[in-house]
Amino acid sequence: MIKKLLIANRGEIACRVIRTARELGIETVAVFSDADRNAMHVELADQAVHIGAAPVGESYLLGDRIIDAAKRTGADAIHPGYGFLSENPDFVDAVAKAGLVFIGPSADAIRAMGLKDKAKALMEKAGVPVVPGYHGDNQDAGFLAEQADEIGYPVLIKARAGGGGKGMRLVEKPADFADALASAQREAQSSFGDPACLIEKFIQNPRHIEMQVMGDAHGNVIHLFERDCSMQRRHQKVIEEAPAPDMPEDVRQAMGAAAVAAAKAVNYQGAGTVEFIVDGSGPLRPDGFWFMEMNTRLQVEHPVTEEITGFDLVAMQIAVAEGQTLPVTQDQITATGHAFEVRLYAEDPSNGFLPATGTLDILDFPTADNGVRVDTGVRQGDVISPHYDPMIAKLIVTGPNRNAALLKMSKALEELVVHGCVTNRAFLSALVIDADFAAGRVDTGLIDRKGADLTARPDPTANTLALAALAAVRPADAEDPFANFRLWGAARQAVTFEGDPNISIFVETTATETKVTTPLGDLTFSVVAQNGPELLVEENGVKSRAIVHKTGHGVLVQTAGHDRFFKFFDPSASASSAKAGALTAPMPGNVIAVVAKAGDSVSEGDRLLVMEAMKMEHAITAAQDGVIAEMLVSEGDQVEQGALLVRMQEDE
């Protein structure tokens, strides 16, 4: 029996494992880097051990330090979570050599499935359908380009190691292949230490459907139904659901049988996910899905499976690792209802989903009383750093059917309040009410096709301007009966927010009502109630609810699916030092490639350099035609958001 468990991870998944371990009466040990010294998972664990500096290569990827921490604290077993060392067979071997239990599959199973090219060859032998493509060892760029020509465009370049969308590029024409391959190889090397890639035919109108499997040490393997993970941007999942919409029973059975066969082919033990690419051009059919890869670990989206089946997958992982037999057979597993999970990220959807950093000044989740499960590893006041994945939390809801669950998710996102860094909350709200998504017409290209609409930031209205100004002038003690008292009439105050031009608003307040004069129109409010950041106002007989929160820098206004931060105008602030034609860093990160130099003539859209943030590459391109006057960074530099990167020559 496992009595003490070390979690070799951080953030949300570490907190998730700790919760189940606590329910099982198992003590827990956390590990942490310099950046995570005061993190939530450290606070929740019974013990915590410092393992190094903030970069993952100096802390969470150092298996020897993690094993040493387990020995020092008397842990019996190690749970790897997902990411980091979770699919590293050498780490699994080292854990076993140290006399500890690894909560996961064997090193041999991880090796068999860890490299996509070898895994696909193995799957072909096991009778599992695979996508046509080149899965060999020859990594010569010219040879791979020839293979792409033979396969036929569009093709997908995929890192053979790892997952999470890293090292993956869609190439639609031969002219783009060389740059895409080089970029995928760099990202694969950075993320997984292996630059090798494979080339596959890109399936048109693809859906991404995966099967959750679980195996034990006695040769038993089951599946716990499917999850649809088609809602993706840049090959990374955004929304997952279970079961998949419009999934015929014969396809479910065929896919489940293929997933079980895949797991049995490597004598799989523990939790795993077999991922399939599915032809979504028409109704799903038994011969219209192909094996992509197997993730030999727990998945980020595992909660939706837990919600419809009623099983705690972490508890099952631990039981299997203890040598227990699976608690159920395949015919005893049933699914009830429909579940959704959305991933709340610190990122800017309106700027290519670039990752963001900042302090979570406000973090107010919907409660379990409202039927919302929140899996998170951060709290209000925590910092989202550039060192790790930018996910803030997962919101999970379950309903009796898909429509009911979708409505519940829309409401949960409306109630969620987060401020301090840019997030994808409004984008998620727009996505869950999208007509195609709501109707179950899903495929991996939906977000790209509708990106402009889904990421649009509507211009402020008179109502939102008025609410911002109202929040700006309301006293901290909103119930103070003398707050708006003036001996000679109404209190008149002015608020100016930054804009182009700046936005000046006048607020006249009496004991009974407030008149707000904005550039877009005048409104007269009466404040019905205020509960923390929630403000209920009445205007022309219509009551409405909004979230308003004043900080030292401005006011956050959140209504339905939209949020906007109005920054106070500071007349003493100096003008930006950036000159016309200069390019600045859109996020904090590392410069990993410089492809242009001073004196080069460039055209709008030309790649000038490449930055890496949170293990993802981002190309910095010329905003206009011109000549580079100065390249201000070099390969290997680490820069902050807003730092000057390139200066262009000014027109004479």
Side-chain angles (χ1 to χ4, degrees):
M1 293 289 291
I2 294 171
K3 295 181 179 179
K4 182 179 284 191
L5 176 65
L6 181 142
I7 299 96
N9 219 294
R10 64 175 301 280
E12 170 266 324
I13 184 55
C15 296
R16 162 72 187 89
V17 174
I18 289 170
R19 284 196 300 272
T20 288
R22 181 173 293 166
E23 291 175 1
L24 296 174
I26 298 173
E27 292 185 69
T28 56
V29 180
V31 292
F32 64 92
S33 68
D34 289 346
D36 282 339
R37 185 172 296 276
N38 298 311
M40 184 175 176
H41 73 282
V42 174
E43 179 183 290
L44 290 178
D46 296 300
Q47 291 178 275
V49 180
H50 176 252
I51 54 171
V56 295
E58 300 174 36
S59 52
Y60 294 106
L61 291 181
L62 297 178
D64 56 342
R65 292 192 186 178
I66 290 171
I67 292 171
D68 178 65
K71 288 182 174 180
R72 286 165 55 195
T73 56
D76 309 301
I78 293 178
H79 194 300
Y82 35 69
F84 296 150
L85 296 170
S86 62
E87 295 179 282
N88 185 319
D90 294 336
F91 177 65
V92 178
D93 282 337
V95 170
K97 186 176 180 180
L100 303 170
V101 175
F102 180 77
I103 310 294
S106 67
D108 288 343
I110 294 175
R111 287 190 177 95
M113 289 296 192
L115 298 179
K116 297 181 182 70
D117 51 354
K118 300 295 189 295
K120 292 191 176 186
L122 181 62
M123 291 301 98
E124 284 184 301
K125 291 182 180 179
V128 179
V130 300
V131 179
Y134 176 73
H135 307 136
D137 294 327
N138 191 334
Q139 293 294 300
D140 177 75
F143 175 79
L144 292 178
E146 292 175 0
Q147 297 304 304
D149 289 337
E150 289 186 18
I151 294 167
Y153 286 88
V155 298
L156 200 60
I157 300 173
K158 297 176 68 174
R160 70 175 182 178
K166 297 179 177 67
M168 187 180 296
R169 299 291 184 275
L170 171 63
V171 188
E172 300 186 89
K173 56 183 186 292
D176 296 336
F177 185 85
D179 284 346
L181 176 64
S183 178
Q185 289 173 331
R186 282 195 304 270
E187 198 166 86
Q189 176 64 45
S190 172
S191 298
F192 316 120
D194 182 354
C197 292
L198 50 86
I199 315 297
E200 290 184 344
K201 178 68 178 175
F202 180 72
I203 305 299
Q204 302 290 344
N205 301 114
R207 287 175 64 176
H208 181 142
I209 300 177
E210 60 190 29
M211 279 278 174
Q212 176 70 57
V213 296
M214 186 76 69
D216 64 23
H218 308 283
N220 302 305
V221 178
I222 57 173
H223 71 79
L224 292 95
F225 305 117
E226 80 279 359
R227 299 184 288 256
D228 195 305
C229 306
S230 300
M231 290 297 96
Q232 303 178 8
R233 83 309 181 250
R234 292 198 325 219
H235 307 295
Q236 289 193 305
K237 300 164 186 174
V238 176
I239 297 181
E240 300 96 355
E241 61 181 298
D246 300 324
M247 169 66 86
E249 187 57 34
D250 61 340
V251 179
R252 176 177 290 119
Q253 291 183 8
M255 195 176 290
V260 170
K264 286 187 173 182
V266 293
N267 298 315
Y268 197 81
Q269 299 176 31
T273 300
V274 182
E275 302 194 351
F276 297 99
I277 191 76
V278 182
D279 183 356
S281 59
L284 303 185
R285 60 185 197 277
D287 63 347
F289 65 87
W290 300 272
F291 173 87
M292 285 198 303
E293 61 184 334
M294 183 176 187
N295 288 304
T296 51
R297 53 172 168 78
L298 200 65
Q299 290 279 87
V300 177
E301 58 272 20
H302 75 273
V304 293
T305 296
E306 294 182 323
E307 292 296 309
I308 66 167
T309 63
F311 291 106
D312 182 327
L313 297 186
V314 174
M316 291 181 74
Q317 282 186 297
I318 293 172
V320 166
E322 290 177 332
Q324 298 181 39
T325 303
L326 289 172
V328 290
T329 58
Q330 190 66 61
D331 58 3
Q332 294 174 317
I333 304 171
T334 59
T336 303
H338 201 100
F340 283 97
E341 173 185 289
V342 300
R343 303 187 188 191
L344 178 68
Y345 280 105
E347 64 183 11
D348 188 354
S350 64
N351 191 22
F353 294 96
L354 289 178
T357 57
T359 301
L360 296 169
D361 299 322
I362 314 171
L363 188 60
D364 188 8
F365 292 117
T367 65
D369 293 340
N370 295 332
V372 182
R373 169 179 168 179
V374 178
D375 284 11
T376 186
V378 295
R379 303 146 300 188
Q380 184 166 294
D382 283 353
V383 174
I384 303 297
S385 81
H387 299 292
Y388 312 117
D389 186 273
M391 189 171 71
I392 297 171
K394 303 182 307 195
L395 273 62
I396 305 103
V397 301
T398 307
N401 54 57
R402 191 174 190 271
N403 288 338
L406 205 53
L407 286 172
K408 187 181 288 188
M409 180 61 79
S410 182
K411 182 66 173 175
L413 288 166
E414 182 179 333
E415 294 175 347
L416 167 69
V417 185
V418 56
H419 176 65
C421 58
V422 181
T423 77
N424 65 339
R425 188 201 70 87
F427 162 74
L428 292 171
S429 289
L431 184 54
V432 298
I433 63 172
D434 174 78
D436 285 327
F437 181 66
R441 295 189 293 268
V442 298
D443 66 76
T444 58
L446 186 147
I447 290 176
D448 287 340
R449 290 194 304 273
K450 297 192 170 187
D453 292 334
L454 294 171
T455 61
R457 297 191 64 194
D459 292 332
T461 64
N463 184 268
T464 54
L465 287 174
L467 288 169
L470 183 61
V473 303
R474 280 180 69 78
D477 182 5
E479 303 304 320
D480 180 0
F482 296 101
N484 296 313
F485 176 78
R486 295 293 186 277
L487 184 61
W488 304 113
R492 179 178 170 86
Q493 296 169 273
V495 180
T496 303
F497 295 116
E498 283 190 359
D500 188 17
N502 293 325
I503 305 167
S504 293
I505 304 171
F506 296 93
V507 183
E508 292 184 33
T509 308
T510 68
T512 58
E513 65 179 23
T514 300
K515 181 181 178 181
V516 186
T517 303
T518 82
L520 301 178
D522 301 343
L523 298 95
T524 300
F525 288 108
S526 61
V527 177
V528 178
Q530 184 167 4
N531 181 19
E534 183 174 281
L535 188 66
L536 183 63
V537 297
E538 182 175 334
E539 191 256 330
N540 288 333
V542 178
K543 294 181 180 180
S544 59
R545 170 187 174 275
I547 301 295
V548 292
H549 190 90
K550 180 181 177 181
T551 73
H553 304 289
V555 178
L556 170 70
V557 179
Q558 180 175 306
T559 58
H562 302 294
D563 49 40
R564 181 174 289 273
F565 186 73
F566 295 92
K567 188 175 182 181
F568 293 131
F569 171 65
D570 182 1
S572 65
S574 60
S576 170
S577 61
K579 296 182 179 180
L583 289 176
T584 59
M587 72 286 182
N590 296 317
V591 178
I592 60 172
V594 176
V595 295
K597 62 183 185 301
D600 285 355
S601 295
V602 297
S603 301
E604 180 181 349
D606 285 354
R607 286 173 22 125
L608 306 183
L609 56 94
V610 181
M611 289 183 61
E612 179 190 66
M614 301 178 186
K615 297 298 182 182
M616 297 292 286
E617 287 193 5
H618 308 276
I620 307 300
T621 60
Q624 60 192 38
D625 297 350
V627 177
I628 297 176
E630 189 176 6
M631 180 65 70
L632 300 169
V633 292
S634 302
E635 185 174 324
D637 287 353
Q638 178 153 355
V639 297
E640 295 300 318
Q641 183 173 356
L644 289 174
L645 304 174
V646 181
R647 186 171 61 81
M648 305 294 291
Q649 288 185 9
E650 298 183 33
D651 294 334
E652 297 181 358

